[in-house]
Amino acid sequence: MAFSSYTVSLKKEGSEYKGYITECPNPAWKVGQVKFIIHEYQDKSANKATFFMGDHSEQEIDTITFLGQNEVVLGNNFIVMSRKAPRKESPANIKRYLRMLDASQPLFERVSQDTVLVRIPSFDHAFKNDIDAVITQNLETILKTENPIIDIRGNDGGSDISYASLTPIMYINPIRTVGMEYLSTELNNSRMLGFLEHPHFSDEEKQWAREGYETLQQHIGDYINIDEDVTVETFDKVHPLPKRIGVLIDSSNGSSAEQFLLSAKQSQKVKLFGHTTA
């Protein structure tokens, strides 16, 4: 089996499956060492694993998911392992699932006549233009589709502005957003100065960061909201389609990903599917 830069040979020993390294470029590991152990129980849903990190420390994993006959997922997409030999043909839905998990960039895919899939693995500010491009290029199709799916599994946030192009698609009523307070300290405030050097920030965003820094510096030790306490966003049009929008979520979603969900949930078109967020 292969994952990341490792190739392992899986061997059953009693009630355990041990993954012995056969190929690895990491000098901290040698061929023949055990990289992980899967503990098998009579109730397959109770199977657990012990995974050895790069520094050989143990990571206990409580969930193991088998995808078809070739892939095994340890934890919440912590590690996805693929069988190299003997390899069997995977169904189309498994291939799509793995493609979505492995995506490092925003992408768009048609699933059926009534469903399209938008995959957004991160709201990092560096991906804003890529997210906007995917939405712009496929907007006509999305607005003719009854049931789009937005997949943000594994998305741990980034910048709220990165999901701006998604909001009009979901919009059905005014969207209320509560402003965020920052604890003003020298270390926290230096984050604003870092934005001034960010290559993906616009002049307007850098001006916001500059003014925010000055405001925060005047209130060291206090919690300060540098924006409005509550904002209400409206759009001129409610699109008849999509009728229903599914958003796929998991426990890795945090920060701006959760802010996106707070906005999305205010639309009667949106339904969340998955696990509780971070």
Side-chain angles (χ1 to χ4, degrees), residues 160 177-183 191-192 208 216 223-230 255-256 259:
D160 291 0
T177 301
V178 178
M180 179 169 56
E181 290 184 336
Y182 300 82
L183 175 60
R191 173 173 173 266
M192 293 293 180
W208 168 84
L216 289 168
Y223 283 94
I224 299 297
N225 187 345
I226 62 175
D227 298 307
E228 297 181 43
D229 290 339
V230 177
S255 189
S256 289
Q259 190 66 51

PDB file of all heavy atoms in Angstrom, residues 160 177-183 191-192 208 216 223-230 255-256 259:
ATOM      1  N   ASP A 160     -12.312  35.429   5.159  1.00  0.00           N
ATOM      2  CA  ASP A 160     -13.754  35.482   4.878  1.00  0.00           C
ATOM      3  C   ASP A 160     -14.043  35.940   3.455  1.00  0.00           C
ATOM      4  O   ASP A 160     -15.018  35.500   2.838  1.00  0.00           O
ATOM      5  CB  ASP A 160     -14.453  36.426   5.864  1.00  0.00           C
ATOM      6  CG  ASP A 160     -14.468  35.881   7.283  1.00  0.00           C
ATOM      7  OD1 ASP A 160     -13.942  34.770   7.491  1.00  0.00           O
ATOM      8  OD2 ASP A 160     -14.989  36.563   8.174  1.00  0.00           O
ATOM      9  N   THR A 177     -24.201  39.128   9.889  1.00  0.00           N
ATOM     10  CA  THR A 177     -22.883  38.680  10.356  1.00  0.00           C
ATOM     11  C   THR A 177     -22.473  39.485  11.582  1.00  0.00           C
ATOM     12  O   THR A 177     -22.492  40.718  11.550  1.00  0.00           O
ATOM     13  CB  THR A 177     -21.815  38.851   9.257  1.00  0.00           C
ATOM     14  OG1 THR A 177     -22.206  38.086   8.107  1.00  0.00           O
ATOM     15  CG2 THR A 177     -20.462  38.361   9.746  1.00  0.00           C
ATOM     16  N   VAL A 178     -22.122  38.790  12.642  1.00  0.00           N
ATOM     17  CA  VAL A 178     -21.658  39.436  13.869  1.00  0.00           C
ATOM     18  C   VAL A 178     -20.157  39.679  13.762  1.00  0.00           C
ATOM     19  O   VAL A 178     -19.400  38.774  13.397  1.00  0.00           O
ATOM     20  CB  VAL A 178     -21.963  38.562  15.100  1.00  0.00           C
ATOM     21  CG1 VAL A 178     -21.435  39.218  16.376  1.00  0.00           C
ATOM     22  CG2 VAL A 178     -23.466  38.316  15.213  1.00  0.00           C
ATOM     23  N   GLY A 179     -19.743  40.911  14.071  1.00  0.00           N
ATOM     24  CA  GLY A 179     -18.329  41.255  13.976  1.00  0.00           C
ATOM     25  C   GLY A 179     -17.482  40.489  14.982  1.00  0.00           C
ATOM     26  O   GLY A 179     -17.974  39.993  15.997  1.00  0.00           O
ATOM     27  N   MET A 180     -16.196  40.411  14.705  1.00  0.00           N
ATOM     28  CA  MET A 180     -15.278  39.636  15.538  1.00  0.00           C
ATOM     29  C   MET A 180     -14.399  40.563  16.371  1.00  0.00           C
ATOM     30  O   MET A 180     -13.884  41.562  15.873  1.00  0.00           O
ATOM     31  CB  MET A 180     -14.397  38.754  14.656  1.00  0.00           C
ATOM     32  CG  MET A 180     -13.389  37.920  15.412  1.00  0.00           C
ATOM     33  SD  MET A 180     -12.590  36.683  14.365  1.00  0.00           S
ATOM     34  CE  MET A 180     -11.927  37.701  13.055  1.00  0.00           C
ATOM     35  N   GLU A 181     -14.253  40.221  17.643  1.00  0.00           N
ATOM     36  CA  GLU A 181     -13.384  41.003  18.516  1.00  0.00           C
ATOM     37  C   GLU A 181     -11.984  40.390  18.545  1.00  0.00           C
ATOM     38  O   GLU A 181     -11.824  39.175  18.523  1.00  0.00           O
ATOM     39  CB  GLU A 181     -13.950  41.038  19.946  1.00  0.00           C
ATOM     40  CG  GLU A 181     -15.217  41.863  20.084  1.00  0.00           C
ATOM     41  CD  GLU A 181     -15.683  41.958  21.535  1.00  0.00           C
ATOM     42  OE1 GLU A 181     -15.330  41.052  22.325  1.00  0.00           O
ATOM     43  OE2 GLU A 181     -16.389  42.927  21.860  1.00  0.00           O
ATOM     44  N   TYR A 182     -10.989  41.255  18.602  1.00  0.00           N
ATOM     45  CA  TYR A 182      -9.597  40.831  18.694  1.00  0.00           C
ATOM     46  C   TYR A 182      -9.050  41.235  20.060  1.00  0.00           C
ATOM     47  O   TYR A 182      -9.304  42.351  20.527  1.00  0.00           O
ATOM     48  CB  TYR A 182      -8.746  41.528  17.627  1.00  0.00           C
ATOM     49  CG  TYR A 182      -9.152  41.274  16.200  1.00  0.00           C
ATOM     50  CD1 TYR A 182     -10.198  41.998  15.618  1.00  0.00           C
ATOM     51  CD2 TYR A 182      -8.480  40.349  15.418  1.00  0.00           C
ATOM     52  CE1 TYR A 182     -10.566  41.781  14.301  1.00  0.00           C
ATOM     53  CE2 TYR A 182      -8.843  40.126  14.099  1.00  0.00           C
ATOM     54  CZ  TYR A 182      -9.886  40.840  13.549  1.00  0.00           C
ATOM     55  OH  TYR A 182     -10.241  40.624  12.248  1.00  0.00           O
ATOM     56  N   LEU A 183      -8.297  40.345  20.684  1.00  0.00           N
ATOM     57  CA  LEU A 183      -7.587  40.725  21.902  1.00  0.00           C
ATOM     58  C   LEU A 183      -6.346  41.504  21.484  1.00  0.00           C
ATOM     59  O   LEU A 183      -5.471  40.971  20.789  1.00  0.00           O
ATOM     60  CB  LEU A 183      -7.194  39.488  22.713  1.00  0.00           C
ATOM     61  CG  LEU A 183      -6.328  39.751  23.952  1.00  0.00           C
ATOM     62  CD1 LEU A 183      -7.044  40.675  24.931  1.00  0.00           C
ATOM     63  CD2 LEU A 183      -5.953  38.438  24.630  1.00  0.00           C
ATOM     64  N   ARG A 191       0.024  40.657  13.517  1.00  0.00           N
ATOM     65  CA  ARG A 191      -0.612  39.942  12.402  1.00  0.00           C
ATOM     66  C   ARG A 191      -1.100  40.923  11.351  1.00  0.00           C
ATOM     67  O   ARG A 191      -1.019  40.647  10.143  1.00  0.00           O
ATOM     68  CB  ARG A 191      -1.776  39.104  12.949  1.00  0.00           C
ATOM     69  CG  ARG A 191      -2.648  38.421  11.928  1.00  0.00           C
ATOM     70  CD  ARG A 191      -3.643  37.507  12.643  1.00  0.00           C
ATOM     71  NE  ARG A 191      -4.626  36.932  11.763  1.00  0.00           N
ATOM     72  CZ  ARG A 191      -5.835  37.456  11.534  1.00  0.00           C
ATOM     73  NH1 ARG A 191      -6.187  38.584  12.124  1.00  0.00           N
ATOM     74  NH2 ARG A 191      -6.683  36.863  10.727  1.00  0.00           N
ATOM     75  N   MET A 192      -1.617  42.074  11.801  1.00  0.00           N
ATOM     76  CA  MET A 192      -2.093  43.093  10.852  1.00  0.00           C
ATOM     77  C   MET A 192      -0.945  43.633  10.001  1.00  0.00           C
ATOM     78  O   MET A 192      -1.108  43.897   8.807  1.00  0.00           O
ATOM     79  CB  MET A 192      -2.771  44.237  11.614  1.00  0.00           C
ATOM     80  CG  MET A 192      -4.061  43.833  12.305  1.00  0.00           C
ATOM     81  SD  MET A 192      -5.338  43.420  11.096  1.00  0.00           S
ATOM     82  CE  MET A 192      -6.700  42.993  12.186  1.00  0.00           C
ATOM     83  N   TRP A 208      -7.357  48.452   5.222  1.00  0.00           N
ATOM     84  CA  TRP A 208      -8.111  47.931   6.365  1.00  0.00           C
ATOM     85  C   TRP A 208      -7.176  47.427   7.454  1.00  0.00           C
ATOM     86  O   TRP A 208      -7.367  47.697   8.651  1.00  0.00           O
ATOM     87  CB  TRP A 208      -9.032  46.807   5.900  1.00  0.00           C
ATOM     88  CG  TRP A 208      -9.646  46.014   7.008  1.00  0.00           C
ATOM     89  CD1 TRP A 208     -10.769  46.314   7.728  1.00  0.00           C
ATOM     90  CD2 TRP A 208      -9.149  44.766   7.549  1.00  0.00           C
ATOM     91  NE1 TRP A 208     -11.003  45.352   8.673  1.00  0.00           N
ATOM     92  CE2 TRP A 208     -10.029  44.389   8.593  1.00  0.00           C
ATOM     93  CE3 TRP A 208      -8.060  43.952   7.246  1.00  0.00           C
ATOM     94  CZ2 TRP A 208      -9.850  43.230   9.331  1.00  0.00           C
ATOM     95  CZ3 TRP A 208      -7.869  42.793   7.981  1.00  0.00           C
ATOM     96  CH2 TRP A 208      -8.756  42.439   9.008  1.00  0.00           C
ATOM     97  N   LEU A 216      -6.086  48.947  17.141  1.00  0.00           N
ATOM     98  CA  LEU A 216      -5.744  47.951  18.150  1.00  0.00           C
ATOM     99  C   LEU A 216      -4.623  48.440  19.064  1.00  0.00           C
ATOM    100  O   LEU A 216      -4.648  48.198  20.277  1.00  0.00           O
ATOM    101  CB  LEU A 216      -5.340  46.641  17.464  1.00  0.00           C
ATOM    102  CG  LEU A 216      -6.470  45.865  16.782  1.00  0.00           C
ATOM    103  CD1 LEU A 216      -5.904  44.762  15.887  1.00  0.00           C
ATOM    104  CD2 LEU A 216      -7.413  45.262  17.818  1.00  0.00           C
ATOM    105  N   TYR A 223     -10.397  43.793  24.372  1.00  0.00           N
ATOM    106  CA  TYR A 223     -11.001  43.153  23.205  1.00  0.00           C
ATOM    107  C   TYR A 223     -11.620  44.243  22.345  1.00  0.00           C
ATOM    108  O   TYR A 223     -12.445  45.026  22.819  1.00  0.00           O
ATOM    109  CB  TYR A 223     -12.078  42.144  23.627  1.00  0.00           C
ATOM    110  CG  TYR A 223     -11.518  40.848  24.148  1.00  0.00           C
ATOM    111  CD1 TYR A 223     -11.327  40.651  25.518  1.00  0.00           C
ATOM    112  CD2 TYR A 223     -11.176  39.806  23.278  1.00  0.00           C
ATOM    113  CE1 TYR A 223     -10.807  39.459  26.010  1.00  0.00           C
ATOM    114  CE2 TYR A 223     -10.663  38.614  23.758  1.00  0.00           C
ATOM    115  CZ  TYR A 223     -10.476  38.448  25.113  1.00  0.00           C
ATOM    116  OH  TYR A 223      -9.960  37.266  25.601  1.00  0.00           O
ATOM    117  N   ILE A 224     -11.211  44.304  21.072  1.00  0.00           N
ATOM    118  CA  ILE A 224     -11.634  45.383  20.192  1.00  0.00           C
ATOM    119  C   ILE A 224     -12.216  44.817  18.900  1.00  0.00           C
ATOM    120  O   ILE A 224     -11.632  43.925  18.278  1.00  0.00           O
ATOM    121  CB  ILE A 224     -10.447  46.318  19.856  1.00  0.00           C
ATOM    122  CG1 ILE A 224      -9.893  46.961  21.126  1.00  0.00           C
ATOM    123  CG2 ILE A 224     -10.875  47.404  18.872  1.00  0.00           C
ATOM    124  CD1 ILE A 224     -10.870  47.854  21.849  1.00  0.00           C
ATOM    125  N   ASN A 225     -13.372  45.337  18.498  1.00  0.00           N
ATOM    126  CA  ASN A 225     -13.960  45.015  17.199  1.00  0.00           C
ATOM    127  C   ASN A 225     -13.597  46.139  16.248  1.00  0.00           C
ATOM    128  O   ASN A 225     -14.062  47.263  16.400  1.00  0.00           O
ATOM    129  CB  ASN A 225     -15.481  44.887  17.325  1.00  0.00           C
ATOM    130  CG  ASN A 225     -16.122  44.377  16.037  1.00  0.00           C
ATOM    131  OD1 ASN A 225     -15.490  44.376  14.978  1.00  0.00           O
ATOM    132  ND2 ASN A 225     -17.366  43.948  16.124  1.00  0.00           N
ATOM    133  N   ILE A 226     -12.741  45.855  15.276  1.00  0.00           N
ATOM    134  CA  ILE A 226     -12.278  46.915  14.369  1.00  0.00           C
ATOM    135  C   ILE A 226     -13.236  47.111  13.193  1.00  0.00           C
ATOM    136  O   ILE A 226     -13.030  48.000  12.371  1.00  0.00           O
ATOM    137  CB  ILE A 226     -10.852  46.630  13.859  1.00  0.00           C
ATOM    138  CG1 ILE A 226     -10.809  45.334  13.047  1.00  0.00           C
ATOM    139  CG2 ILE A 226      -9.871  46.579  15.026  1.00  0.00           C
ATOM    140  CD1 ILE A 226      -9.459  45.060  12.414  1.00  0.00           C
ATOM    141  N   ASP A 227     -14.262  46.274  13.116  1.00  0.00           N
ATOM    142  CA  ASP A 227     -15.292  46.443  12.093  1.00  0.00           C
ATOM    143  C   ASP A 227     -16.608  46.780  12.788  1.00  0.00           C
ATOM    144  O   ASP A 227     -16.640  47.069  13.983  1.00  0.00           O
ATOM    145  CB  ASP A 227     -15.431  45.161  11.267  1.00  0.00           C
ATOM    146  CG  ASP A 227     -14.150  44.828  10.522  1.00  0.00           C
ATOM    147  OD1 ASP A 227     -13.640  45.691   9.810  1.00  0.00           O
ATOM    148  OD2 ASP A 227     -13.662  43.684  10.678  1.00  0.00           O
ATOM    149  N   GLU A 228     -17.706  46.709  12.065  1.00  0.00           N
ATOM    150  CA  GLU A 228     -19.008  46.965  12.663  1.00  0.00           C
ATOM    151  C   GLU A 228     -19.424  45.788  13.547  1.00  0.00           C
ATOM    152  O   GLU A 228     -19.055  44.641  13.284  1.00  0.00           O
ATOM    153  CB  GLU A 228     -20.054  47.185  11.575  1.00  0.00           C
ATOM    154  CG  GLU A 228     -19.781  48.406  10.697  1.00  0.00           C
ATOM    155  CD  GLU A 228     -20.856  48.597   9.644  1.00  0.00           C
ATOM    156  OE1 GLU A 228     -22.037  48.449  10.000  1.00  0.00           O
ATOM    157  OE2 GLU A 228     -20.510  48.862   8.480  1.00  0.00           O
ATOM    158  N   ASP A 229     -20.198  46.086  14.596  1.00  0.00           N
ATOM    159  CA  ASP A 229     -20.647  45.026  15.503  1.00  0.00           C
ATOM    160  C   ASP A 229     -21.502  43.997  14.763  1.00  0.00           C
ATOM    161  O   ASP A 229     -21.353  42.792  14.969  1.00  0.00           O
ATOM    162  CB  ASP A 229     -21.458  45.620  16.656  1.00  0.00           C
ATOM    163  CG  ASP A 229     -20.583  46.420  17.612  1.00  0.00           C
ATOM    164  OD1 ASP A 229     -19.365  46.192  17.623  1.00  0.00           O
ATOM    165  OD2 ASP A 229     -21.125  47.280  18.321  1.00  0.00           O
ATOM    166  N   VAL A 230     -22.407  44.470  13.912  1.00  0.00           N
ATOM    167  CA  VAL A 230     -23.257  43.581  13.112  1.00  0.00           C
ATOM    168  C   VAL A 230     -23.406  44.190  11.721  1.00  0.00           C
ATOM    169  O   VAL A 230     -23.662  45.387  11.593  1.00  0.00           O
ATOM    170  CB  VAL A 230     -24.657  43.404  13.743  1.00  0.00           C
ATOM    171  CG1 VAL A 230     -25.535  42.538  12.841  1.00  0.00           C
ATOM    172  CG2 VAL A 230     -24.560  42.776  15.125  1.00  0.00           C
ATOM    173  N   SER A 255     -12.512  28.415  11.728  1.00  0.00           N
ATOM    174  CA  SER A 255     -12.207  29.796  11.369  1.00  0.00           C
ATOM    175  C   SER A 255     -13.136  30.286  10.258  1.00  0.00           C
ATOM    176  O   SER A 255     -14.347  30.249  10.385  1.00  0.00           O
ATOM    177  CB  SER A 255     -10.730  29.895  10.965  1.00  0.00           C
ATOM    178  OG  SER A 255     -10.322  31.225  10.810  1.00  0.00           O
ATOM    179  N   SER A 256     -12.588  30.734   9.140  1.00  0.00           N
ATOM    180  CA  SER A 256     -13.408  31.288   8.059  1.00  0.00           C
ATOM    181  C   SER A 256     -14.337  30.252   7.440  1.00  0.00           C
ATOM    182  O   SER A 256     -15.376  30.612   6.875  1.00  0.00           O
ATOM    183  CB  SER A 256     -12.516  31.895   6.965  1.00  0.00           C
ATOM    184  OG  SER A 256     -11.910  33.084   7.426  1.00  0.00           O
ATOM    185  N   GLN A 259     -17.245  30.523   9.586  1.00  0.00           N
ATOM    186  CA  GLN A 259     -17.928  31.785   9.306  1.00  0.00           C
ATOM    187  C   GLN A 259     -18.770  31.664   8.032  1.00  0.00           C
ATOM    188  O   GLN A 259     -19.893  32.169   7.956  1.00  0.00           O
ATOM    189  CB  GLN A 259     -16.908  32.916   9.156  1.00  0.00           C
ATOM    190  CG  GLN A 259     -17.516  34.306   9.097  1.00  0.00           C
ATOM    191  CD  GLN A 259     -18.181  34.707  10.399  1.00  0.00           C
ATOM    192  OE1 GLN A 259     -17.583  34.616  11.456  1.00  0.00           O
ATOM    193  NE2 GLN A 259     -19.430  35.132  10.330  1.00  0.00           N
TER     194      GLN A 259
END
